[in-house]
Amino acid sequence: MKFVWLLSSVLLGVVGQLLMKWGLVNPKPLWSQGPSFVSMFSSWPVLAGLFSYALSSLFWLLTLKQMNVSVAYPMVSLGYVVVALAGYYLFSESISVTKWMGIGFVLVGVAFISRA
């Protein structure tokens, strides 16, 4: 069950990040009155992303209760890989050779840590 909590935490963090990006790139404000930062926080994808982060934190607490932080925390870096790939597909962001190498290093590092 501890890996379910961990995976849920990582995926909700990824979803939160992507929703916030989407909400800032394509604003969908619930209300448009007031300063720009108010309309930024009134975008429903941004609010949904913040809520997703809050749920991610809850699942993270459940993870920490059952796993060693020295194993669990490095697994969070899998979120970096998923966000980079999602950014490529969803937002047409580029992934350079250097970024691909970084993604490879993250995956190798997670593999080493998960086997320890």
Side-chain angles (χ1 to χ4, degrees), residues 18-112:
L18 296 173
L19 281 168
M20 287 187 286
K21 170 73 174 180
W22 180 48
L24 294 173
V25 171
N26 299 306
K28 294 160 182 18
L30 298 172
W31 63 88
S32 57
Q33 301 296 329
S36 62
F37 75 90
V38 171
S39 62
M40 178 175 62
F41 283 108
S42 74
S43 176
W44 71 262
V46 171
L47 293 173
L50 292 171
F51 180 74
S52 180
Y53 261 22
L55 280 178
S56 174
S57 296
L58 174 67
F59 284 112
W60 180 248
L61 292 174
L62 294 169
T63 299
L64 289 178
K65 187 174 179 180
Q66 297 179 8
M67 289 182 79
N68 291 337
V69 72
S70 62
V71 174
Y73 193 68
M75 300 301 167
V76 174
S77 63
L78 292 174
Y80 303 146
V81 173
V82 176
V83 166
L85 296 175
Y88 175 79
Y89 288 107
L90 298 175
F91 303 114
S92 300
E93 295 179 356
S94 65
I95 301 180
S96 65
V97 173
T98 307
K99 286 182 187 177
W100 279 116
M101 289 174 54
I103 288 169
F105 284 131
V106 167
L107 293 174
V108 168
V110 167
F112 279 128

